[in-house]
């Protein structure tokens, strides 16, 4: 069978880094001959052409001059049972930026073309090897920043999202079919009392979609990290906390209040959970216009934050302003950090517990590191468990999916309006079919003329 | 073949084979466009025959008749002249589901249509069996894809007596007559419907041309002597008080008349028992019938098998006409043996002493898969050869008439060198019908259904003229006068909608009082007349008291205004769906596209696309066996190509 693409593509499929194994992937009708040319055994024989599909072979990659570039493992996946559906060869080498690039260069020299972003997955989709949501999951997988995000992507990759969407669509289609059968064969398909039976089902479908939509913010956390803001009065040790969490000197720390004039941003992983950390200028009525801007930014960041670490200097008495500030962000998950417990405390832990009743308080020292583990555990427990429901491990991670789900929900809401308004049942189908189509867009069961290109242009190289 | 003696009769423009509902429309369309047309029938007495049910219209079929009328067809006018009862069905449902159905006087329907044909200029009726088609091979085939090009050109037809008619185009409307076989239990006769002569030669000629034939079956119930029926045990089904005509050209006042009734009764467990015990003697269950029957117009045997838990099925007794006592037993078509039929029918309340005038029977016949046709209903492989009606694998008078009309019009368009009339799914049921026939793999006789039309809310029976008059006018089958009247009506509708939207009523005590009298809730704030019309319980005429300055408007304009406003949101959303649909329809696939050159198509998709040769991406996406990913491949290929 002829392939959709005449050319053979190649790219480095793993992130380029100094350490670890690198994989170079080749796909297309000449993948095997090209690999055969570049790979040799110890005794200099070419072996790739004689390899069976789905086998791994030990060998070397040699340059055009016969010089060995690296020791490699070569895997062959013949069409159609390969990632792209074409013939695919993967060469695993010892890595290192220079060596990996050299091997790729050698492969390109032999006739392969450097893959464009998304090329491999585009071929996989067009050859029917994966559906759209799976293809998008691949993209998430390679751009995900933490283990939990990777897990969500893996679920999508194995078709869990497709499966769930498929189930919902199936139910919508079943009801539509029933309504339509009743139009044409009213004798055998009666709609008396149908609305009453239909309403609970409709509500169930809507809540299923809502549940998927709710996972979206969680999905965003997974992909981008929990947006976290460190707030507090000047010189309470916010930057020290940041540095401690990061384990490195990132922010300039000094005793002079107002040192941090702008917001600093960092990403850090606490086990499975990624924090997107924003350190802010201390909150005070600053005269300096630059610092003033910093304070404003801090407040803006806090307004959108999902986690607020509020630092209080426990060596000073509690100020009313702190209590006021903390109460301003009821939607965020808040933690009060009673810093400087290594000094003489003016505001003790027990009092803080009383004042902040439902907000967790941690006695802390950014100097000794006391409380750090407790803080990390608290964040992990609260967010990881809260963000990823045990029961719904499907997570919506893409704005495109979110939009389609939201459209589907809107359509079902219109159906509900029709039911409540006592409209004739046949009118339900207009919006039921809209919901069906919106959901179909997620899994590529509906055609959009520019969809494929739109999606695959976002892809990373080598996938 | 060369040795055969031909008697050259005439040079004509169009030969229409068959004078059933498809053939009549095809012949009339061609002759009215000024083409010399001959319509062939095995019996002049069977022109526009209704060999099955005695009615025209019904769910979604009523839509077809009105669309046909809007385009310049005859069926709607003919039923308006000959109906004996009329009823708008589905009025408890939304406007998309309303559908007109009229009981016909069968003989009047047939003779009235025959008169129209006889009086039509340029049209000749000929009683003869067409046995052979004449064609020539195209010599210079320049097309890239030979599958795609015309290899044959039709040149004429030969009748059973050897008479040759040279023609520029031929329209096949053979209905159920080709190699027909009627079955009643073990008894088989080689006749067409109603004991008429079957056409036994044409099939071979078609095969010789490379046309693939298939076998379908359909059936009809018994006709009973009305005097033997006890109607007191049945529920009377009268017609509507105010009769609405099918044709947009018929004045409603001119057709108000006394109507006859139909009668409703039910089968029971005893009936089902008789059927179950004798199922092995039904030709289809005994394996005698090879043809595939319609799922949506099932025999009573099929219903009993398909719905085993049903305690009863509806049975309607419908008069065959005013000229006879015969009653049609709607809902109980059957191919069981004669004595079983009698036993079965006599279990039904009211039919205990029934006498059968004509037995129920199943009929099996040759037809084609319409995949061999373009949406113009021309054969892909034979230039000038068109087909319409049951021959294309459909069922029903209305489906037949609609296709016959399109096939006839397009035969004419080809002779004139004009673009064919291709109606789309978003503008008509006829478009849905033909698209389904030529695009999908229909394994049973295709019956029109409301559910097949995705955009049914826009394709209502009440607005068929607003949708389609323009095409009838462009073709030349609708007069300028009528077309302009339609445009004017559209204008009035829009103006009135605008007016209702602009007139605001304050929530004053007089208004509130009037609303209360109408049985609707009072206003919280000011509202427009259009807002009030959106309330399900209020109708246009109800608002007259609140709207003293309203213009004089026809009932049809008022009806359109009310529907368009009341269902505005739904209509708007359906229009959005249509936009989406049109995007794909407008992505045309070049006729010379060689699918072997499109890389990465799955083998099944490639085979299907080659077979159907779709004209657009939209059509390609509807072919069974072609997946969205295949369509993406095609889209990308077409983009690269251009």
């Amino acid at each position: 069978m002829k392939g959709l693409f005449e050319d053979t593509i190649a790219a480095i499929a793993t992130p380029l880094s100094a350490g670890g194994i690198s994989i170079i992937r080749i796909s297309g009708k000449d993948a095997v001959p090209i690999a055969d040319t570049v790979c040799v055994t110890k005794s200099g024989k070419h072996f790739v052409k004689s390899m069976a599909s789905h086998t791994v072979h030990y060998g070397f990659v040699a340059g055009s001059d016969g010089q060995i570039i690296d020791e490699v493992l070569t895997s062959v996946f013949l069409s159609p049972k390969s990632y792209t559906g074409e013939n695919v060869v993967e060469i695993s080498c010892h890595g290192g930026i220079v060596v990996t690039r050299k091997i790729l260069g050698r492969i390109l020299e032999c006739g392969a073309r450097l893959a464009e972003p998304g090329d491999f997955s585009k071929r996989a989709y067009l050859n029917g090897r994966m559906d759209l949501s799976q293809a998008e999951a691949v993209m998430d997988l390679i751009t995900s920043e933490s283990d939990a995000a990777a897990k969500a992507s893996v679920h999508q990759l194995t078709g869990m999202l497709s499966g769930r969407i498929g189930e919902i669509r199936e139910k919508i289609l079943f009801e539509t079919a029933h309504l339509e059968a009743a139009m044409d064969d009213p004798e055998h398909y009666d709609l008396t009392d149908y609305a009453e039976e239909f309403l609970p089902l409709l509500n169930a479908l809507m809540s299923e979609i809502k549940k998927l939509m709710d996972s979206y913010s969680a999905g965003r956390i997974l992909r981008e990290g929990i947006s976290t803001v460190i707030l507090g009065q000047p010189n309470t040790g916010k930057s020290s906390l940041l540095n401690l969490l990061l384990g490195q000197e990132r922010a300039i720390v000094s005793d002079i209040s107002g040192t941090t004039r702008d917001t600093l941003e960092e990403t850090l992983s606490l086990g499975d959970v990624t924090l997107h950390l924003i350190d802010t200028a201390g909150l005070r009525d600053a005269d300096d216009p630059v610092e003033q801007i910093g304070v404003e930014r801090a407040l803006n960041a806090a307004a959108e934050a999902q986690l607020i670490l509020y630092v209080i200097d426990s060596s000073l008495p509690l100020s009313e302003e702190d209590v006021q500030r903390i109460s301003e962000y009821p939607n965020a998950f808040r933690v009060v950090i009673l810093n400087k417990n290594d000094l003489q405390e003016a505001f003790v832990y027990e009092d803080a517990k009383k004042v902040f009743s439902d907000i967790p308080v941690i006695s802390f020292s950014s100097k000794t590191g006391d409380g750090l583990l407790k803080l990390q555990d608290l964040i992990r427990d609260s967010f990881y468990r809260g963000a990823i429901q045990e029961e719904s491990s499907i997570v919506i991670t893409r704005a495109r999916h979110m939009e389609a789900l939201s459209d589907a929900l809107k359509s079902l809401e219109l159906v509900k309006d029709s039911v409540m308004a006592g409209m004739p049942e046949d009118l339900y189908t207009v919006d039921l079919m809209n919901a069906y189509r919106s959901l179909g867009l997620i899994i590529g069961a509906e055609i959009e003329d520019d969809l494929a290109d739109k999606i695959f242009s976002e892809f990373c190289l080598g996938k | 073949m060369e040795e055969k003696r031909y008697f050259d009769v005439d040079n004509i423009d169009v030969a229409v084979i068959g004078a059933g509902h498809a053939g009549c429309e095809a012949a009339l369309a061609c002759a009215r466009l000024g083409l010399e047309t001959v319509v062939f029938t095995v019996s002049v007495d069977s022109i526009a025959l209704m060999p099955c049910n005695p009615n025209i219209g019904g769910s979604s079929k009523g839509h077809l008749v009105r669309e046909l009328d809007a385009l310049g067809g005859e069926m709607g006018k003919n039923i308006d002249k000959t109906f004996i009862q009329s009823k708008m069905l589905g009025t408890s449902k939304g406007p998309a589901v309303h559908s007109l159905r009229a009981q016909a006087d069968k003989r009047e329907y047939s003779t009235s249509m025959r008169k129209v044909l006889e009086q039509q200029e340029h049209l000749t009726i000929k009683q003869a069996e067409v046995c052979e088609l004449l064609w020539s091979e195209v010599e210079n085939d320049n097309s890239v894809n030979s599958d795609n090009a015309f290899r044959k050109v039709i040149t004429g037809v030969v009748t059973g007596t050897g008479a040759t008619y040279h023609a520029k185009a031929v329209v096949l409307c053979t209905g159920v007559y080709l190699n027909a076989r009627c079955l009643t239990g073990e008894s088989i006769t080689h006749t067409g419907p109603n004991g008429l002569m079957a056409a036994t030669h044409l099939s071979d000629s078609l095969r010789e041309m490379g046309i693939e034939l298939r076998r379908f079956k359909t059936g009809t119930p018994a006709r009973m002597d009305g005097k033997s029926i006890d109607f007191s045990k049945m529920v009377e089904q009268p017609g509507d008080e105010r009769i609405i005509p099918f044709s947009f050209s018929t004045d409603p006042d001119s057709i108000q008349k006394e109507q006859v009734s139909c009668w409703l009764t039910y089968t029971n467990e005893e009936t089902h028992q008789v059927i179950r015990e004798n199922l092995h003697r039904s030709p289809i269950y005994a394996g005698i019938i090879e043809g595939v029957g319609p799922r949506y117009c099932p025999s009573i045997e099929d219903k009993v098998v398909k719905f085993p838990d049903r305690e009863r099925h509806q049975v309607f007794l419908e008069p065959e006409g005013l000229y006879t006592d015969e009653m049609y037993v709607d809902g109980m078509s059957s191919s069981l043996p004669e004595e079983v039929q009698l036993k079965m029918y006599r279990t039904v309340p009211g039919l205990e002493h029934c006498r059968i005038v004509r037995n129920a029977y199943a009929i099996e016949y040759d037809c084609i898969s319409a995949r061999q046709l373009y949406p113009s209903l021309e054969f892909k492989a034979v230039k000038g050869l068109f087909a319409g009606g049951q021959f294309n694998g459909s069922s029903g008078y209305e489906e037949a008439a609609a296709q016959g009309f399109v096939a006839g019009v397009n035969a004419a368009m080809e002779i004139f060198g004009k673009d064919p009339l291709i109606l789309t799914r978003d503008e008509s049921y006829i478009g849905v019908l033909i698209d389904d026939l030529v695009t999908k793999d229909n394994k049973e006789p295709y019956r029109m259904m409301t559910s097949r039309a995705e955009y049914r809310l826009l394709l209502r029976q009440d607005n068929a003229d607003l949708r389609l008059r323009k095409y009838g006018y462009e073709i030349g089958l609708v007069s300028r006068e009528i077309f302009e009247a339609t445009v004017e009506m559209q204008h009035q509708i829009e103006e009135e909608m605008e007016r209702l939207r602009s007139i605001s009523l304050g929530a004053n005590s007089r208004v509130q009082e009037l609303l209360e009298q109408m049985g609707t809730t009072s206003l919280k704030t000011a509202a427009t007349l259009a807002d009030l019309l959106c309330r399900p319980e209020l109708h246009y005429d109800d608002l007259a008291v609140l709207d003293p300055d309203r213009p004089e408007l026809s009932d049809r304009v008022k009806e359109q205004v009310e529907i368009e406003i009341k269902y505005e949101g739904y209509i708007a959303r359906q229009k959005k769906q249509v936009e989406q649909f049109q995007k794909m329809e407008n992505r045309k696939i070049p006729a010379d596209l060689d699918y072997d050159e499109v890389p990465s198509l799955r083998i099944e998709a490639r085979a299907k696309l080659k077979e159907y040769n779709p004209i657009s991406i939209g059509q390609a996406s509807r072919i069974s066996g072609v997946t969205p990913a295949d369509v993406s491949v095609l889209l990308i290929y077409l983009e690269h190509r251009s």
Side-chain angles (χ1 to χ4, degrees), chain A residues 3-4 180 187 418 431 434, chain B residues 314 450 456 570 573 577 599-600:
Chain A
L4 178 63
E180 292 190 336
E187 184 197 344
S418 303
D431 297 304
N434 274 346
Chain B
Q314 287 177 341
T450 316
R456 62 185 86 94
Y570 299 94
R573 295 200 288 281
Q577 294 173 345
S600 273

Side-chain angles (χ1 to χ4, degrees), chain B residues 362-389:
Chain B
I363 183 167
E364 208 188 16
Y365 52 95
D366 286 349
C367 60
I368 58 162
S369 158
R371 291 177 299 180
Q372 296 169 87
L373 306 175
Y374 284 119
S376 65
L377 298 183
E378 184 176 29
F379 275 89
K380 290 170 183 172
V382 189
K383 189 177 167 67
L385 183 61
F386 294 80

Side-chain angles (χ1 to χ4, degrees), chain B residues 24-25 27-29 31-32 47-48 72-75 77-79 81-82 108-125:
Chain B
C24 287
E25 296 291 349
L28 286 171
R32 284 169 176 168
I47 288 174
E74 195 61 28
M75 184 172 247
K77 291 191 175 102
N78 204 50
I79 183 65
K81 284 186 249 173
T82 59
E108 273 300 304
Y109 187 90
S110 179
T111 33
S112 163
M113 184 63 91
R114 178 175 169 179
K115 270 184 207 150
V116 173
L117 261 61
E118 283 172 353
Q119 283 160 15
Q120 180 60 48
E121 237 186 306
H122 306 296
L123 181 58
T124 307
I125 299 169

Side-chain angles (χ1 to χ4, degrees), chain B residues 435-447:
Chain B
D435 184 60
D436 279 348
L437 281 171
V438 304
T439 307
K440 291 180 180 162
D441 194 6
N442 298 298
K443 296 192 159 53
E444 59 189 89
Y446 180 98
R447 181 184 164 175

Side-chain angles (χ1 to χ4, degrees), chain B residues 133-292:
Chain B
L133 298 181
L134 298 176
W135 74 90
S136 61
E137 297 282 338
V138 180
E139 281 178 20
N140 291 321
D141 186 0
N142 292 325
S143 176
V144 179
N145 180 2
S146 58
D147 279 356
N148 226 347
F150 287 119
R151 283 172 296 179
K152 300 185 177 73
V153 176
I154 201 84
T155 56
V157 301
V158 183
T159 69
T161 52
T164 304
Y165 292 75
H166 297 285
K168 293 174 188 152
V170 171
V171 186
L172 292 164
C173 300
T174 58
V176 297
Y177 284 79
L178 287 189
N179 282 334
R181 199 160 77 120
C182 289
L183 304 97
T184 303
E186 297 85 1
S187 152
I188 299 172
T189 56
H190 289 266
T191 58
N194 240 344
L196 285 156
M197 192 174 100
T200 50
H201 297 94
L202 193 59
S203 292
D204 291 339
S205 176
L206 290 169
R207 279 198 199 91
E208 211 178 305
M209 292 180 83
I211 290 165
E212 280 174 40
L213 296 176
R214 55 154 66 168
R215 212 80 181 133
F216 270 177
K217 78 129 197 175
T218 186
T220 196
R223 311 297 192 276
M224 283 169 190
D225 181 350
K227 295 191 299 299
S228 68
I229 299 171
D230 182 357
F231 292 111
S232 69
K233 294 187 176 165
M234 303 183 180
V235 187
E236 186 168 6
Q237 307 283 306
D240 283 344
E241 245 166 69
R242 172 77 186 170
I243 298 166
I244 296 163
F246 266 104
S247 173
F248 294 106
S249 310
T250 304
D251 174 9
D253 290 335
S254 73
I255 57 159
Q256 305 301 321
K257 64 179 172 191
E258 186 120 348
Q259 301 174 68
V260 297
S261 287
C262 298
W263 301 86
L264 170 63
T265 180
Y266 294 91
T267 62
N268 51 46
E269 198 36 57
E270 205 189 330
T271 323
H272 303 169
Q273 193 58 36
V274 172
I275 293 165
R276 279 190 211 105
E277 278 166 13
N278 291 282
L279 213 51
H280 62 283
R281 296 184 66 194
S282 161
I284 187 129
Y285 290 97
I288 299 168
I289 289 186
E290 46 181 288
V292 186

Side-chain angles (χ1 to χ4, degrees), chain A residues 159-175:
Chain A
M160 267 182 73
L161 177 63
S162 303
R164 180 69 62 86
I165 297 286
E167 280 166 28
I168 301 174
R169 287 182 95 222
E170 197 74 11
K171 285 178 190 159
I172 293 174
L173 193 63
F174 184 83
E175 294 310 311

Side-chain angles (χ1 to χ4, degrees), chain B residues 285-350:
Chain B
Y285 290 97
I288 299 168
I289 289 186
E290 46 181 288
V292 186
R295 229 184 324 165
Y296 303 105
C297 193
S299 65
I300 188 67
E301 293 95 286
D302 287 343
K303 281 193 236 180
V304 169
V305 172
K306 188 178 164 193
F307 300 102
D309 300 332
R310 287 269 164 176
E311 284 158 22
R312 62 180 200 176
H313 296 278
Q314 287 177 341
V315 179
F316 290 95
L317 275 292
E318 302 172 3
E320 290 262 297
L322 299 180
Y323 65 98
T324 173
D325 270 340
E326 269 186 276
M327 298 292 283
Y328 175 90
V329 192
D330 195 352
M332 285 188 82
S333 89
S334 172
S335 59
L336 287 165
E338 191 170 1
E339 75 276 15
V340 180
Q341 284 186 21
L342 192 64
K343 203 171 159 193
M344 166 185 86
Y345 286 125
R346 285 189 169 175
T347 60
V348 176

